[in-house]
Amino acid sequence: MDKKRMYSAAQPTGKITIGNYIGAISNWVKLQHEYDCFFAIADMHAITIKQDPQELRRRTLELAALYIACGLDPEVCALYVQSNVSAHAELAWVLNTLTYVGEMERMTQFKDKSRKHADNINMGLMDYPVLMAADILLYQAEYVPVGFDQKQHVEITRDIANRFNNRYGETFTVPTPLIMKSGAKIMSLQEPDKKMSKSDENINAWVSLLDDRDTIIRKFKRAVTDSDNCIRAGEDKPGITNLLTIYSVFRGCTVEEAEKEFAGKGYGDFKLAVGETVADALAPIQAEQARLLADKAYLNGVLASGAERAFKAARKTLSKVYRKVGFYRGE
Ligand code: AQP
């Protein structure tokens, strides 16, 4: 039986954090053999915020190397750069005509980013969810593994897909967001009621996959917790809960097991252990990324064949869409 399709992506903006890793990339690695996977580097989404062109190019290649270093196998899944497959932009245009301005204005990420980038509330920022809908629907993906923050965007993708299918006949698979029970929302180390975000200006709020050992340990030592000195998870303890979640993912245990391991210990020892565990787990990923970046020809080859595979799948959907909406293709 054919494998079910899966699509996901991350933006080459800033430094990929352990939030992106836990909420998204590490799950892609686990699921890659079970599904027919397309994983993109979302550079077209990235430019909805001002980017330095040279940096964007550099970060795109770095993210490709990081995907592979984290365990994605380019022989198994299609790894490619979003802008290399023009069908993403083409389908987004059609889907724009089925999307209402009011819906886009209500999107949480749009509201957050408009506040953060008040000097650059561009159409692309508002249209971000429609481009994301195009990304997903092009591949007829059944599942989209994302962190909690992207759930709303997958839901609007479902609405747009249903709207298209109702108006023009069955065309798109309606996708389901795949959100893991644990780790779908890793919180800021400085404000544990806020999502960890790679564009957070406070560098102590996030840990990058590429931070060195000392930096990682220092950031965890500074993590904001609470004053009752009891290591347990709970809604009343967002800081400690976040650290327990991070520890359990990198240690490969459950949160309950982590709670038992640290029962009776102080916060200082606990934070140090979290920092050391994360640093130990990231060291081989960092070494592998550096090794891959030294072989640009290999990375270019991976991205070219990934784009070719993506293009083939995308073209099929786009032709169908163009036919359904009535675009003249020569008769
Ligand atoms: N804190 C998080 N916890 C769990 N998952 C997360 N993701 C992001 N932050 C967390 C998931 O990572 C994937 C890729 O995210 P993205 O690159 O598309 O950007 P984003 O969701 O906007 O993440 P950031 O880090 O907050 O980026 P910036 O600061 O550039 O906006 C997605 O699946 C996301 O859910």
Side-chain angles (χ1 to χ4, degrees), residues 9-11 13 42 44-49 82 92 96 104 107 109-110 113 122-135 149-150 153 156-157 198:
Q11 300 178 79
T13 46
M44 291 167 68
H45 279 104
I47 61 164
T48 57
I49 302 295
Q82 183 188 27
N96 269 327
M104 296 296 98
M107 292 284 114
Q109 182 180 281
F110 174 65
K113 291 204 171 173
N122 60 76
M123 285 303 294
L125 193 62
M126 193 171 172
D127 208 24
Y128 186 113
V130 180
L131 179 58
M132 184 162 156
D135 298 341
D149 62 320
Q150 292 295 337
H153 288 167
I156 196 80
T157 299
K198 56 176 128 67

Side-chain angles (χ1 to χ4, degrees), residues 13-177:
T13 46
K15 295 186 171 165
I16 294 291
T17 68
I18 55 170
N20 301 126
Y21 178 75
I22 298 174
I25 302 173
S26 69
N27 298 319
W28 307 351
V29 173
K30 284 183 213 139
L31 299 166
Q32 65 182 327
H33 295 284
E34 222 177 300
Y35 297 89
D36 182 20
C37 296
F38 292 82
F39 295 125
I41 296 164
D43 56 346
M44 291 167 68
H45 279 104
I47 61 164
T48 57
I49 302 295
K50 272 182 212 143
Q51 303 292 336
D52 175 81
Q54 272 190 18
E55 279 221 341
L56 182 63
R57 246 189 304 276
R58 181 174 56 77
R59 283 184 171 153
T60 298
L61 198 68
E62 285 174 0
L63 186 52
L66 196 61
Y67 277 3
I68 303 169
C70 287
L72 290 178
D73 182 348
E75 301 288 327
V76 173
C77 42
L79 304 182
Y80 69 99
V81 180
Q82 183 188 27
S83 65
N84 291 181
V85 180
S86 60
H88 288 255
E90 293 176 77
L91 181 59
W93 180 253
V94 176
L95 299 183
N96 269 327
T97 64
L98 287 109
T99 311
Y100 301 103
V101 173
E103 294 179 301
M104 296 296 98
E105 282 171 338
R106 284 196 292 276
M107 292 284 114
T108 308
Q109 182 180 281
F110 174 65
K111 287 195 273 187
D112 285 352
K113 291 204 171 173
S114 300
R115 262 194 299 273
K116 259 198 203 159
H117 305 276
D119 59 335
N120 184 26
I121 308 175
N122 60 76
M123 285 303 294
L125 193 62
M126 193 171 172
D127 208 24
Y128 186 113
V130 180
L131 179 58
M132 184 162 156
D135 298 341
I136 297 165
L137 299 179
L138 264 183
Y139 300 99
Q140 306 288 0
E142 297 211 31
Y143 295 104
V144 188
V146 285
F148 190 77
D149 62 320
Q150 292 295 337
K151 184 168 178 259
Q152 193 181 41
H153 288 167
V154 183
E155 279 161 1
I156 196 80
T157 299
R158 290 171 60 85
D159 292 345
I160 296 171
N162 280 322
R163 223 170 271 166
F164 191 100
N165 289 347
N166 288 337
R167 189 180 302 178
Y168 297 107
E170 275 312 303
T171 306
F172 293 124
T173 302
V174 180
T176 304

